[in-house]
Amino acid sequence: MRGDRPSIGLLPWGLAFLVFGLVPLLYALVLSFQQMNPLRPDLTHFVGFSNYARALTSASFWHALRTTVIFVVGTIPVTLTLAYLVAGQLATIRRGQGFFRAAIFFPATVSMVVIALVFKSLYAEDGLLNGWLAASGLARVHWLQDVRTALPSIMLMDIWGSVGYYAILILAGRKTLPPEQLEAARLEGLSAWDVERRIVFPHLRPVLLFVVLLNTIRSFQIFTEVFVLTRGGPLESTLTLVYHLYERAFYHFEMGYASAIAYLLLALVGMVLLVQRRVLGDRRPA
């Protein structure tokens, strides 16, 4: 009886995962092999791999994938570098640590919709950023209406909203480093750079791998920022894969095609994560 208690404790989580995770996942897989319009369910029929073939030969799919890859490649290195530097600075603060940690982590506690609305007002034609430019004698910038600046503007907002969360994760990893090890390194005459490179960074490698994997998944799923700020425009310059999926499912009611895009995205993210884990994973011998 005592041995059954752990499984009973996991039962609510298991039921929730089954109902809200596994069943929708399997249903989407079945849908991806069908042509299905929720307004005409009587016309639903099996189409095999046609939805996958259509996606892989669609210019819109490849354009959305290209935009998503640019977003992922452009945000992850900057976010990771800034988070690492911020975590290093937080680790050196002796007074007011709680305040600074809370201030850095604050954006992670705010809904991305709220953050996007705030940045939308900052990027507005008569917003704060253009006000500063005008006061400096510079021309105003159409942040979200120009194809050259729309995607970088969204990337900048995403970096600002993510750095604090990942900095706290990295800081937690730094706190697990034994202080005696750092003190011994300093007594041996190692410089601050050598301590960071030879002791701190190797110790943080598993945490950094976790941060990279987490940020990669989140970046491939970018949707809220695009939905609130640009709706994929201007001229589809911010059309990401998940927003493209959303449009096909809920504007055009092509549930089967949208499900196929979702599974292609799942396969892509899975492959990227495997490569990252192999490249960045622990290389120490077992």
Side-chain angles (χ1 to χ4, degrees):
M1 191 68 184
R2 181 175 297 177
D4 293 334
R5 288 178 181 174
S7 58
I8 293 175
L10 291 174
L11 190 59
W13 178 87
L15 288 174
F17 173 73
L18 179 67
V19 174
F20 300 107
L22 188 60
V23 170
L25 193 67
L26 295 177
Y27 183 61
L29 178 62
V30 174
L31 274 182
S32 70
F33 295 103
Q34 295 179 337
Q35 183 174 338
M36 189 269 191
N37 184 332
L39 301 180
R40 293 297 306 273
D42 55 308
L43 299 180
T44 301
H45 60 279
F46 180 77
V47 294
F49 287 93
S50 296
N51 287 326
Y52 291 93
R54 177 187 169 190
L56 294 174
T57 56
S58 166
S60 296
F61 173 84
W62 288 107
H63 173 74
L65 178 60
R66 173 179 171 274
T67 306
T68 305
V69 170
I70 292 174
F71 180 87
V72 171
V73 174
T75 56
I76 290 180
V78 179
T79 302
L80 182 62
T81 302
L82 290 177
Y84 189 90
L85 295 175
V86 169
Q89 289 300 311
L90 287 175
T92 63
I93 294 176
R94 293 291 176 264
R95 301 181 63 180
Q97 284 190 11
F99 170 77
F100 287 106
R101 290 178 192 175
I104 290 295
F105 191 72
F106 176 72
T109 65
V110 181
S111 166
M112 184 52 73
V113 174
V114 176
I115 293 176
L117 289 174
V118 171
F119 269 78
K120 192 172 187 177
S121 66
L122 291 176
Y123 289 143
E125 291 293 316
D126 54 352
L128 186 61
L129 293 180
N130 275 332
W132 286 344
L133 292 176
S136 304
L138 301 174
R140 295 176 181 269
V141 177
H142 306 291
W143 299 99
L144 299 177
Q145 291 78 35
D146 193 322
V147 295
R148 296 168 298 180
T149 57
L151 185 60
S153 299
I154 295 176
M155 293 164 67
L156 181 65
M157 184 193 74
D158 181 83
I159 291 170
W160 180 86
S162 304
V163 165
Y165 176 71
Y166 297 122
I168 294 300
L169 291 180
I170 296 173
L171 178 64
R174 294 182 76 104
K175 291 295 183 183
T176 63
L177 189 63
E180 297 82 7
Q181 193 173 353
L182 294 175
E183 190 62 27
R186 294 191 181 97
L187 290 175
E188 291 179 2
L190 293 181
S191 65
W193 168 249
D194 287 332
V195 171
E196 194 72 25
R197 182 174 60 88
R198 297 171 58 179
I199 298 177
V200 178
F201 188 80
H203 179 78
L204 290 177
R205 196 181 187 90
V207 178
L208 295 176
L209 174 62
F210 174 73
V211 168
V212 169
L213 297 181
L214 196 63
N215 200 4
T216 300
I217 295 172
R218 183 179 172 280
S219 297
F220 270 106
Q221 294 175 336
I222 176 174
F223 171 77
T224 305
E225 298 90 330
V226 174
F227 181 83
V228 175
L229 292 178
T230 60
R231 301 290 178 102
L235 299 176
E236 297 188 344
S237 60
T238 60
L239 181 68
T240 61
L241 210 49
V242 175
Y243 191 79
H244 178 53
L245 180 161
Y246 167 80
E247 282 188 329
R248 303 318 303 184
F250 299 106
Y251 287 173
H252 302 275
F253 301 108
E254 297 174 321
M255 293 298 177
Y257 181 54
S259 299
I261 295 175
Y263 266 89
L264 289 173
L265 177 62
L266 176 65
L268 174 64
V269 173
M271 288 188 292
V272 171
L273 295 183
L274 286 175
V275 171
Q276 287 179 332
R277 192 175 187 281
R278 179 170 290 274
V279 173
L280 303 175
D282 194 350
R283 299 172 183 173
R284 291 176 297 183

